[in-house]
Amino acid sequence: MASLSPSLVFSLLFVALTIITLGQAIEEKKKTYIFRVDRESKPSIFPSHAHWYASAEMSGDALSVLHVYDTVFHGFSASLPPSRADELRSHPAILAVFEDRRRFLDTTRSPQFLGLRNQLGLWSHSNYGSDVVIGVLDTGIWPERRSFSDFHLGPVPSRWRGVCEFQPSSLCNRKLIGARSFSKGHGADGYGPGINASVEFLSPRDADGHGTHTASTAAGRHAFRASMSGYAPGIAKGVAPKARIAAYKVCWRGAGCLDSDILAGFDAAVSDGVDVLSVSIGGGDGAASPYYLDPIAVGSYGAASHGVFIATSAGNDGPSPMSVTNLAPWLTSVGAGTIDRTFPASVRLGDGRTLSGVSLYSGAPLAVDSMFPLVYPGKTGGLSASLCMENSLDPKVVSGKIVICDRGSSPRVAKGLVVKEAGGVGMILANGISNGEGLVGDAHMLPACAVGSDEGDAVKSYVASSSSPTATIVFQGTVVGVKPAPVVASFSGRGPNGLSPEILKPDLIAPGVNILAAWTDAVGPTGLDSDKRRTEFNILSGTSMACPHVSGAAALLKSAHPNWSPAAIRSAMMTTATLLDNQMHPVTDESTGNPATPLEMGAGHLNLERALDPGLVYDLSDQDYVNFLCDIGYGPRTIEIITHVPVTCAARRGTAENLNYPSLTVVFDGVTAGNGSKTVVRTLTNVGADGVYRSKVEMVAGKGVVVRVKPGKLAFTKTEPKRSFTVTVTVTEDAVEAESGLVGYGYLVWYDGAHEVRSPIVVSRIQPL
């Protein structure tokens, strides 16, 4: 056999190596990573951290850095192959590496419903939030809306350091004082994977509508003759009408929100000088990440350590237990409740029955006194047809008929479009068991009515039992004064806290159902590409809508009490929250009809009539949060990822329940026998006049649970404004555990005759791993 020549051997080896290299390159698709760096390790040869991060010294080869973080977080993000990211993990200056994740949005009469009145109370004492800056991390903003007028506003606060990236910059004003956008996480060229240049703006301008809505909910100016196509007519206004707004576009239409961009938004907002941050962004897919791997938790810690109050949405995955998101104790997680306004519609069946529902349909109504054939495609077309998924409906079956669609798996408004394109004349959107009777209105593109689970079963039963079922839909406009309200929305995220069960989440609830606020001019009220309608205002539901109510409330309290910490502001809201609806009955849970527990509504519903003067607050410092992180088992180097400063932990670990939180959650492990006891410590700070407070415990549920408070009386003076006490919880053999792990709950109240400082007490068991 003839031997191969050396040159041929070399050529073959070269080809083989090239193939291997190409194969590795194909396998090594670049991903975006966030790197937490010890900033003190920077070699003096580099003039800045940015130079160091991009240098060969950091990674062996120069990096293409996307974002540099230097305020709430120290480090950078970069797009690189996973193998290089793994190599960087061993760099002595790199404390942590985590892969970029995609998150999604949690999608005005409400100020009055919160107890705000012109020239009275908190609006008067805070001058409507004047000169407080609310930063909104969202989809951007539509600057031309009346809600962002600067009419009769004073100069921009001199401390403001932000910029306006709009072209021209005159689109910002004394109301909208800053606007930035962050897209590098989606691709270094700005329009990377996931961002559709044909429907987006590479600027802070809002192509989605969500950001415009949340910003105006928090701080929109008074806009007269506001409505959404005639629904909810009146004067639209935000919770803090004179507060300034800074928009940080970190979420993109159809592409979601990437952690690297969110963290860049946090960093810029705190550096710019915001006082409050409103973050209506969910926790991402899957289980909650540890705090040190969660950029919202890390970014918000950095913001809180700079004195910034952070409100976040609690998620829309209720009513399942443990569905609450944004769990860190230094941010405020907000669930959603209803207000006393609704948009009724009714379904009239051919057998004479009338079923109640809701709708925001504003087009031509169905013909008066006409009945239409009624069909449930799920009867014969399977699951996809029952959900009215895209391309699932046979026009021969649904044309000219009202179609029943089950809720779930696709957007509610998208189902209506599917029905319309298949020739249907109307839609009945039926809740399943998981949604119960919880209803939200939608601006459908065809006559449509949403009905609860019971009504949905009734209309399907009618179709199944009738040889020629018929129906029509009647729309009844806007109704106010609805009772009961508030009610915890069925979609609102529920506890217990899946990461730290010792911390109650959500913290409280606020208006989040059928909220009227400003809207973009880029899309119609449904957000669908085919919706060519345009409206100045839109009506949306979600914890995304509840979150900016609390952001606006924080701005009012910050304006009235400039020296209060973010923790003190949260405490004032939580300890004055209401537990009763407008019928003076306990607030109920929409999904069950039963009284809501703290796992559903936290401390209760935001009540700004009382939050201005809470009497006492539970305050917290950075060191308190560090102690908490030590107590849950994080080591100093892990904690430094969050705090971006070196920390130490005590030799003996404490108990996480002792964090000075405005709620008390006492957790027993699942093997604790009867007569187990735990004692937790709290410290109250007087923010009012000198006085003596006495305690009382109001247990609502919890057979076999005994709670004792020592001492039972606390005296506060100017020289002694802080007092501590202990709460001892004993679980006896009679205790009964619910499916959620809840053993009992109630409230601890400190009162002096003028104030009631109320904290939820939650007693639960968890099974050890």
Side-chain angles (χ1 to χ4, degrees):
M1 182 176 177
S3 61
L4 297 175
S5 69
S7 60
L8 181 57
V9 170
F10 179 80
S11 298
L12 290 172
L13 284 171
F14 178 79
V15 170
L17 288 171
T18 301
I19 292 171
I20 292 170
T21 302
L22 286 172
Q24 289 176 335
I26 292 170
E27 287 181 13
E28 288 277 277
K29 182 179 180 181
K30 286 186 176 181
K31 296 182 178 180
T32 298
Y33 294 87
I34 301 169
F35 299 86
R36 169 71 175 89
V37 181
D38 178 5
R39 68 190 309 270
E40 302 301 327
S41 298
K42 179 181 76 68
S44 58
I45 190 174
F46 296 105
S48 71
H49 284 83
H51 288 88
W52 178 36
Y53 299 154
S55 72
E57 192 280 336
M58 176 60 75
S59 66
D61 291 309
L63 286 175
S64 177
V65 173
L66 301 178
H67 295 295
V68 172
Y69 312 110
D70 59 10
T71 303
V72 302
F73 182 82
H74 291 300
F76 63 94
S77 61
S79 182
L80 68 172
S83 60
R84 287 194 66 194
D86 288 339
E87 292 170 5
L88 280 168
R89 291 178 198 274
S90 62
H91 193 289
I94 291 181
L95 300 177
V97 179
F98 36 100
E99 188 177 332
D100 215 358
R101 284 198 310 163
R102 191 180 308 275
R103 298 172 186 259
F104 299 95
L105 300 160
D106 285 333
T107 54
T108 310
R109 182 177 170 80
S110 48
Q112 289 96 319
F113 192 68
L114 295 176
L116 295 171
R117 300 291 183 269
N118 283 327
Q119 307 302 323
L120 296 172
L122 186 50
W123 262 353
S124 175
H125 281 83
S126 67
N127 191 22
Y128 299 85
S130 181
D131 289 351
V132 175
V133 182
I134 301 176
V136 183
L137 270 63
D138 214 295
T139 63
I141 198 164
W142 197 266
E144 293 87 356
R145 289 304 186 216
R146 289 185 290 157
S147 296
F148 310 124
S149 165
D150 64 356
F151 185 64
H152 281 172
L153 279 182
V156 173
S158 59
R159 68 183 187 282
W160 178 245
R161 300 178 294 274
V163 298
C164 182
E165 293 180 358
F166 277 123
Q167 295 296 329
S169 61
S170 59
L171 289 172
C172 292
N173 55 26
R174 296 189 306 275
K175 175 66 175 179
L176 176 60
I177 64 173
R180 296 176 182 259
S181 64
F182 303 87
S183 62
K184 290 181 179 178
H186 290 277
D189 60 353
Y191 280 135
I195 293 183
N196 184 348
S198 67
V199 299
E200 256 295 359
F201 304 98
L202 191 59
S203 78
R205 186 171 289 280
D206 185 6
D208 179 273
H210 192 275
T212 300
H213 198 280
T214 56
S216 59
T217 299
R221 299 300 303 278
H222 289 71
F224 295 87
R225 296 181 299 278
S227 74
M228 197 285 289
S229 301
Y231 285 101
I235 303 171
K237 52 195 170 295
V239 176
K242 287 188 178 180
R244 316 307 173 107
I245 295 172
Y248 297 87
K249 184 175 179 178
V250 299
C251 302
W252 299 79
R253 185 180 173 195
C257 330
L258 289 178
D259 282 346
S260 57
D261 293 334
I262 294 171
L263 197 52
F266 269 108
D267 210 57
V270 176
S271 178
D272 289 347
V274 303
D275 302 296
V276 175
L277 275 169
S278 190
V279 187
S280 292
I281 300 173
D285 296 328
S289 297
Y291 300 126
Y292 59 90
L293 294 180
D294 178 357
I296 289 183
V298 173
S300 61
Y301 181 92
S305 68
H306 283 78
V308 177
F309 178 94
I310 307 99
T312 59
S313 49
N316 294 340
D317 291 331
S320 301
M322 210 178 287
S323 53
V324 64
T325 64
N326 293 316
L327 306 174
W330 43 84
L331 51 78
T332 300
S333 303
V334 188
T338 65
I339 62 174
D340 62 343
R341 179 180 64 197
T342 190
F343 310 103
S346 58
V347 177
R348 295 180 183 172
L349 302 179
D351 64 3
R353 284 182 293 168
T354 298
L355 307 178
S356 297
V358 298
S359 182
L360 291 169
Y361 173 72
S362 59
L366 294 172
V368 179
D369 298 328
S370 296
M371 301 296 285
F372 298 85
L374 182 63
V375 63
Y376 177 47
K379 184 177 179 181
T380 57
L383 179 62
S384 181
S386 72
L387 293 165
C388 298
M389 303 296 285
E390 189 173 4
N391 300 319
S392 68
L393 300 183
D394 184 349
K396 296 177 182 177
V397 175
V398 304
S399 183
K401 299 176 182 178
I402 294 177
V403 181
I404 304 167
C405 297
D406 289 331
R407 184 173 169 181
S409 298
S410 65
R412 299 182 299 272
V413 291
K415 297 176 188 293
L417 180 61
V418 171
V419 172
K420 183 178 181 180
E421 290 180 340
V425 298
M427 178 181 70
I428 299 170
L429 183 63
N431 278 3
I433 294 175
S434 62
N435 301 115
E437 304 308 307
L439 299 177
V440 293
D442 293 298
H444 290 285
M445 297 178 65
L446 84 170
C449 176
V451 297
S453 178
D454 291 344
E455 287 85 350
D457 289 343
V459 71
K460 290 176 207 172
S461 177
Y462 167 63
V463 170
S465 62
S466 174
S467 59
S468 55
T470 59
T472 190
I473 303 173
V474 179
F475 305 96
Q476 297 161 277
T478 303
V479 173
V480 297
V482 172
K483 295 181 179 181
V487 172
V488 180
S490 62
F491 59 76
S492 187
R494 309 300 211 261
N497 184 329
L499 202 55
S500 301
E502 305 88 352
I503 304 299
L504 178 65
K505 294 288 180 175
D507 290 301
L508 74 169
I509 62 170
V513 177
N514 295 332
I515 304 302
L516 177 78
W519 191 244
T520 179
D521 213 34
V523 294
T526 63
L528 299 173
D529 292 338
S530 57
D531 188 353
K532 303 305 179 185
R533 299 172 296 175
R534 294 296 181 265
T535 178
E536 184 182 3
F537 297 91
N538 200 3
I539 296 171
L540 298 181
S541 299
T543 56
S544 277
M545 285 63 254
C547 169
H549 282 88
V550 169
S551 308
L556 297 179
L557 290 171
K558 181 73 173 178
S559 182
H561 301 287
N563 296 324
W564 280 9
S565 69
I569 292 172
R570 175 178 57 197
S571 177
M573 293 186 200
M574 290 178 64
T575 60
T576 60
T578 184
L579 305 178
L580 302 178
D581 61 29
N582 55 5
Q583 293 179 307
M584 301 308 292
H585 296 151
V587 171
T588 56
D589 180 354
E590 189 176 51
S591 67
T592 64
N594 297 325
T597 76
L599 294 183
E600 285 93 51
M601 66 174 181
H605 191 278
L606 180 64
N607 178 3
L608 292 181
E609 286 185 281
R610 296 180 54 212
L612 174 65
D613 179 22
L616 308 172
V617 297
Y618 295 88
D619 210 352
L620 285 160
S621 67
D622 288 354
Q623 186 58 49
D624 291 320
Y625 292 127
V626 170
N627 293 343
F628 164 79
L629 293 170
C630 293
D631 293 342
I632 63 174
Y634 289 5
R637 192 164 176 84
T638 299
I639 296 173
E640 189 180 346
I641 298 170
I642 301 169
T643 62
H644 61 81
V645 293
V647 303
T648 57
C649 289
R652 183 177 178 182
R653 186 191 301 181
T655 175
E657 285 104 330
N658 282 338
L659 181 69
N660 200 41
Y661 216 67
S663 56
L664 295 91
T665 302
V666 181
V667 181
F668 293 88
D669 67 57
V671 297
T672 299
N675 300 317
S677 291
K678 271 194 173 183
T679 298
V680 298
V681 181
R682 288 292 187 273
T683 299
L684 282 163
T685 301
N686 186 23
V687 292
D690 292 355
V692 176
Y693 285 78
R694 290 171 171 80
S695 68
K696 60 182 176 181
V697 174
E698 303 169 343
M699 291 305 293
V700 178
K703 181 181 178 182
V705 176
V706 180
V707 179
R708 292 185 176 88
V709 181
K710 289 185 179 181
K713 183 172 69 173
L714 298 174
F716 296 88
T717 65
K718 287 182 174 59
T719 56
E720 293 184 314
K722 293 179 180 289
R723 290 292 189 183
S724 297
F725 62 93
T726 63
V727 178
T728 300
V729 177
T730 301
V731 177
T732 72
E733 295 175 350
D734 298 327
V736 178
E737 180 181 344
E739 184 178 347
S740 63
L742 184 66
V743 176
Y745 74 94
Y747 298 90
L748 167 63
V749 182
W750 290 96
Y751 62 97
D752 68 347
H755 306 89
E756 286 196 350
V757 185
R758 179 181 289 104
S759 295
I761 302 171
V762 175
V763 183
S764 62
R765 279 199 180 109
I766 58 172
Q767 296 297 329
L769 298 177

